[in-house]
Each structure stands twice: as C-alpha cells, then as structure tokens.
Amino acid sequence: MSVAVQPDAESDKLDPGVLKVAGVVVLGVIMSILDVTVVSVALPTFQRDFDASYATVAWTMTAYTLALATVIPITGWAADRFGTKRLYLLSVVLFLGGSVLCSMAWDIGPLIVFRALQGLGGGMLMPLGMTIMTRAAGPHRVGRVMAVLGVPMLLGPIGGPILGGWLIEAVSWHWIFLINVPIGVVAFVLALRVLPKDEPHPSESFDFLGMLLLSPGLALFLYGVSSIPEAGTVAAAKVLVPAIVGLGLIVAFVFHALRKDHPLIDLGLFKNRNLTISVITMTLFTVAFMGAMLLLPSYFLQVRGEGTLNAGLLLAPQGIGAMLTMPIAGRLTDRIGPGKLVLGGMVLIALGLAPFTQITAGSSYPLLLGGLFVMGMGMGMTMMPMMSAAMASLTHAQVARGSTMMNIVQQTAGSIGTAVMSVILTNRVLESQAATAYSAVTQGQVPRDQVPPEVLVQGQSALADAFGQTYVIALVLIVLCVVPALLLPRKRIEAATPESGEVPVPVPMH
C-alpha cells in the first residue's frame, strides 16, 4: 500500500523509502551500463564466430549507442505523459526482450538489430532513474541520491570487462546477454512493488516535429562521429555526410524549440545558470575522461599482453578509489555545494593521469594501479556533484526534462570522446611501422612467428609511446575543464521555487 509523504525538508538522511527506490533504480541502470562494456570484450569472439570484420562487429556497440540517442529525447515527455513507473517497467521489458533475442542471434546482422532493440529500452533507464530518485529524495538530498546512482556508472566500466571476460572463457558469448534475464526479472518485480504510484500530468502535447528533427539528428551525428576510428580521418565522406546532416537537424531543432511553447527538450532550462555551467563542465569532462578510460584496457591487452579477465581486474583500483570518495562527495555536495569538490576531483584526476602520459612497455604496475586509484578518487568527487549542480536547482516539473537533457549531453560527449581518442591513438600508431606491425599481431591479423623478434620489441615500445601521447591530449582536456568548474556553486544550492501554477507534488512511498 502506498502512503503519500513529503520528503523531510530538514533531514539530510536518506530514509528507508528513498533507499528502496534507489535500490530498484540502480538494478535497472546497472543492466544498461554494464551491457555496454560487457559487449566490448566480446568483439574478437564475434569476429571469429561470425567470420566478420572488426568494422562489422563494432556495429554491435554502435547500434546500441544510436538507439540510446534516438530514444533519450522523448523520455522526458513520456515520463510526464504516462508516468515514470509505467515507463520504467516498459524499459526493463524492452531491454530484457532485446537481451534474450541477442543471445539467440544466428548471425552478425540479426545481432546488430537486436542490440538496437536492447538500446531502446536501455536508453530510457538512466534518465528515468535520475528523475525517479530526484523526485523521491527532494532537491536538498540530490547529492546523496546521485552518489547512489553513481554506483552502476562505476561498476559498468570496471565490472563489465571482468564479467564479460569470465563468461566468455567459462561458458560462451551468449551468456553476456542471458545474465541480464535474472537481474531484469528481479528489477521488474521490485519496481512493480516499490516504485511510487504514477500520477502523470499530461499537460503538454507531444512535439512530433521536434522528435523528427532531434532524434534522427542525434543518431546521424553520432553515427558520423562513431565512424571516425574506422575511416581514420574526419574528412571521409562516411564521417562528414551523416555528421553534417545530423548537425543540421539538431540546429533546426534548436530554432524550432526556441519558438515553440512546449518543445521536446526545453532549452529554456539553460536560463538556469547552475544547469548551464554544469552542462559545459560535463561536456568537456566526459570527452576527456571517458575517451581516456576507453584506452586503459587496450593498453593492458595490446601492449602488456594481458587476457581479458586480467585486464578487467587491473582496472579495479579505479573503482575502489571512486567508491571511497563518492558517498562522502554526495553528502558534502548537499551541504557545501559542488564547486570545491569538482575542482578537487579534477586535480586528483590530473595527478592520477600524469603517469600514463609517460607510459612505456615496461611501466611499473604499482605506479599505474596507484594512478588509477587516484583517478578513481577524483571521478568519485566529480561526476555526481556535476549532475547534482544541474538537478538540485530545478523545480519538480522540470526534473524529467532536465535529466533527459543531461543524459543527451553525456551520451553525445562520451561518443565524441571515444572517437577522438581512438583516432588520435590510431594515427600515432600508423606513424610507426613497427607499432603498426605489432598492433596487427596483437589483434590476430598477422601471426606472431611471421614478424622478426626485433620488430616485435620495437613495435611494443612504439605502441606504448602512442598510448602515452594520446594520454597527453586527455590530460590537457582535463586541465581545461577547470575553467568552467571554477564557476560552479561553492555553497549549498537552494531548491527552486515552483513556477506559477505548479503545485508541489507529494511523493508516495511504500
């Protein structure tokens, strides 16, 4: 039975009702984020089992990303129209259905299609989770609930390669998708029982024109950006044509949204100074940090010759560091604001990343793992306080649209960062014949016994240098993030006053 209660305006503690909601949301979000990184370690297996090129199997990642980009923009409107609980349950069902179909794929083509279906469900889970938790806890506890939501964002990049590597080695690639079934069923049942009863307020008509402009625009733009590593240059037609068309549609949406009363994405939210600064800081940070993190397992796999399971385990110190600082940062954000925490986190990330700019084929593991631990501590102090800065100053009615916007920004910036860092690394490798030859050996394209031993030694060293040069770019971008971060609030953010005609909605808790 649901009991309508108001969040305690004085207490900063998360009561049992909010913690139950957080547990349900985290389960769903873990599935969505974990599946991105779990599949990344399976790409060589897909190449072998389906007799397909790397460029083809990489579409299992790209199709998921594009589906996410397509569905995220409509999530805010749909949450207002149908209610967050119903939409959350539908998202879990879509994700589960896509997972089961992926496990049954008989060829690479069907697998790519089923991954897109999975992405339609996965794309709604994160913005819905942010909306549900922000409304349940109230604006004065946003920092704490964002810290809880940060757990799956950490477990994905760390646990994904470990879980994926183990499942592929111990059973088969089918189980990287089937593992979602028990998690998804539990998430669905708990969501049905625990999440607050829906009280949708369908006051706005759906912006069909906005959807026809923004969703394809984002998908085409991200498709072009995602094609950069394969093309090897930004100037390729495969990159430029979809990216320019997509960007044109996005610009057209901006002009449309500025003239429409109730657009798909409310650009009027940018009048909120905290949200605007948070979006700028998060964009720069996500491009730099997420792009750099993508390269870490590749270094351990290609340069150091580690297996997929060991490469995943070597990334664990980053998660441990983040788990130490994230709960503390969540509490402090609610009390002193995000500004000081984000700046401190940026400094720690820069310090942790510095050793990787000097990386070699024989770099000390304790030094690298220590750097990962420090970077993790910095990430725990950075990502969620930035989200909190944006969400805490929104009114109840703005939360769904605000969380949708933040997820679009994060998804787009992450894709750009991944593409940019991949291209920088690829170009650095191509500049050295020895590195190119060694890279071909590590990827199974050339048998090791066909390459002279001295070339292998030179190539391993040159490949490590290519990684180091790429990390220099990432470090410069992280330092640049300090500029907008200086403008983030350095005191507790006061809750927004409801707009004219908006009545604060009681939050029903079980």
Side-chain angles (χ1 to χ4, degrees), residues 140-166:
H140 59 292
R141 297 183 293 187
V142 164
R144 292 196 177 197
V145 297
M146 287 299 166
V148 173
L149 199 55
V151 172
M153 296 182 72
L154 293 173
L155 291 179
I158 297 158
I162 298 173
L163 180 63
W166 176 72

Side-chain angles (χ1 to χ4, degrees), residues 238-400:
K238 185 177 182 180
V239 173
L240 282 179
V241 173
I244 290 173
V245 173
L247 200 56
L249 289 172
I250 293 170
V251 170
F253 170 78
V254 170
F255 283 107
H256 161 76
L258 291 173
R259 293 196 305 267
K260 187 172 174 61
D261 289 337
H262 300 293
L264 190 66
I265 299 297
D266 184 6
L267 299 183
L269 292 177
F270 282 110
K271 294 176 183 176
N272 184 313
R273 181 179 181 274
N274 290 338
L275 183 135
T276 302
I277 294 170
S278 299
V279 165
I280 294 170
T281 310
M282 177 172 287
T283 301
L284 282 174
F285 175 78
T286 306
V287 168
F289 189 76
M290 294 306 175
M293 291 307 98
L294 172 81
L295 302 181
L296 287 173
S298 298
Y299 168 78
F300 290 126
L301 289 166
Q302 294 182 35
V303 179
R304 305 304 285 263
E306 300 288 352
T308 52
L309 183 57
N310 282 347
L313 289 170
L314 285 166
L315 299 177
Q318 186 183 10
I320 295 170
M323 286 177 184
L324 288 176
T325 57
M326 190 170 281
I328 299 169
R331 286 195 295 271
L332 290 177
T333 298
D334 292 333
R335 293 178 185 173
I336 65 172
K340 296 173 185 175
L341 293 167
V342 171
L343 284 171
M346 298 282 189
V347 171
L348 286 176
I349 290 171
L351 290 174
L353 192 56
F356 288 87
T357 63
Q358 307 300 315
I359 209 165
T360 67
S363 289
S364 161
Y365 268 10
L367 175 64
L368 298 183
L369 298 184
L372 284 172
F373 178 75
V374 173
M375 270 197 285
M377 291 177 66
M379 183 184 176
M381 294 171 60
T382 304
M383 184 65 79
M384 288 302 107
M386 279 193 290
M387 287 275 196
S388 302
M391 301 297 290
S393 54
L394 298 180
T395 67
H396 182 93
Q398 294 173 330
V399 165

